[in-house]
């Protein structure tokens, strides 16, 4: 999904929202970003379309808006999701109903943990789409790992290894990575295999020190 297609994927139709869309596109296009860039945004939106086409039911507009905002702020520091949700609460009032603003902000905050409740259809869809990168083929997964490191160039290697290992171990400790029926069937096994293999590779490094503050994911 190239930038022109991303323009078309913006879920709001009124002219007043176009400036906001372009602000978000500019944020994702920041050249200092590694993984959390325009390609990531496009992949999350594509995975949401895939889930929708496979029969997952969720309220599309709030989930799509949350996908646009979920990494609107990403700098490798703490509370990026909270700061992105605060952007939602500043920018969306007047463009959508108040209850939609509340829901979009809630969904953005959920992407910090990717732990939606079973009956949270929107949360399950967004979480699954965001984590679908874990189920990529080996070449794309390796690109993902390399670009995550770019997002954390300010973190020394030993701290990065420690933090990244903790994140991956936390993922594998979950009863399931994915929450929609389609994602569990198609993405769970390859995702766990990729994460396990990355942990083996990280074990060859020399971790040390405390875990850095953000999620390294």
């Amino acid at each position: 999904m190239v930038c022109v297609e991303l323009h078309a994927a913006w879920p709001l139709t009124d002219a007043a929202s176009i400036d906001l869309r372009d602000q978000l596109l500019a944020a994702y296009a920041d050249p200092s970003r590694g993984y959390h860039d325009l390609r990531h945004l496009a992949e999350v939106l594509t995975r949401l379309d895939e889930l929708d086409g496979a029969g997952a039911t969720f309220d599309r507009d709030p989930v799509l808006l949350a996908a646009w905002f979920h990494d609107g702020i990403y700098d490798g520091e703490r509370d990026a999701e909270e700061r992105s949700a605060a952007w939602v609460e500043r920018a969306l009032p007047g463009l959508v109903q108040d209850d939609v603003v509340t829901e979009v902000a809630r969904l953005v905050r959920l992407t910090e943990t990717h732990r939606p409740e079973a009956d949270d259809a929107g949360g399950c869809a967004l979480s699954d789409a965001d984590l679908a990168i874990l189920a990529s083929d080996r070449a794309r997964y390796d690109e993902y790992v390399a670009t995550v490191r770019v997002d954390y160039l300010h973190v020394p290697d030993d701290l990065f290894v420690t933090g990244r290992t903790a994140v991956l171990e936390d993922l594998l400790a979950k009863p399931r990575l994915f929450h929609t029926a389609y994602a569990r069937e198609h993405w769970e096994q390859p995702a766990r295999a990729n994460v396990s293999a990355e942990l083996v590779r990280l074990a060859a490094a020399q971790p040390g020190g405390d875990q850095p503050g953000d999620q390294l994911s």
Side-chain angles (χ1 to χ4, degrees):
M1 189 183 291
V2 297
C3 199
V4 171
E5 292 172 314
L6 279 170
H7 286 172
W10 178 243
L12 302 182
T13 58
D14 54 293
S17 74
I18 298 305
D19 182 59
L20 176 57
R21 178 202 68 187
D22 291 345
Q23 290 177 42
L24 285 162
L25 288 173
Y28 282 94
D30 186 325
S32 68
R33 291 198 181 202
Y35 172 62
H36 299 86
D37 61 359
L38 287 170
R39 184 180 185 184
H40 171 58
L41 172 60
E43 287 179 334
V44 171
L45 294 170
T46 298
R47 293 298 198 175
L48 285 171
D49 284 343
E50 186 176 348
L51 290 171
D52 187 28
T57 57
F58 53 90
D59 193 351
R60 280 186 61 84
D61 280 356
V63 173
L64 290 175
L65 283 167
W68 276 81
F69 274 98
H70 82 287
D71 286 326
I73 295 175
Y74 203 95
D75 52 13
E77 301 294 343
R78 289 181 180 273
D79 301 325
E81 292 84 2
E82 178 59 34
R83 287 179 284 141
S84 295
W87 188 1
V88 170
E89 292 164 339
R90 292 192 306 270
L92 278 185
L95 297 176
V96 297
Q97 296 296 316
D98 289 348
D99 60 332
V100 176
V101 177
T102 299
E103 175 66 358
V104 174
R106 182 190 73 82
L107 290 168
V108 170
R109 290 184 172 103
L110 182 66
T111 62
E112 182 175 3
T113 62
H114 299 98
R115 294 181 184 273
E117 297 294 331
D119 60 353
D120 180 3
C124 289
L126 181 61
S127 178
D128 285 2
D130 195 26
L131 290 184
I133 187 67
L134 300 177
S136 299
D137 62 42
R138 176 62 187 272
R140 178 63 185 121
Y141 190 87
D142 286 349
E143 288 178 344
Y144 152 66
V145 171
T147 52
V148 166
R149 186 66 184 101
V150 171
D151 281 329
Y152 291 91
L153 285 176
H154 60 287
V155 178
D157 286 344
D158 58 345
L159 294 182
F160 180 83
V161 169
T162 301
R164 180 69 178 170
T165 297
V167 167
L168 298 179
E169 288 176 343
D170 182 67
L171 286 171
L172 288 184
K174 292 182 177 184
R176 58 190 182 192
L177 295 171
F178 299 103
H179 303 273
T180 62
Y182 176 86
R184 288 197 303 271
E185 179 180 353
H186 294 276
W187 302 343
E188 185 81 19
Q189 183 174 350
R192 287 188 177 275
N194 279 333
V195 171
S196 296
E198 186 184 352
L199 277 170
V200 170
R201 294 190 293 273
L202 285 170
Q206 293 295 323
D210 297 325
Q211 181 180 344
D214 214 313
Q215 288 190 19
L216 304 182
S217 62

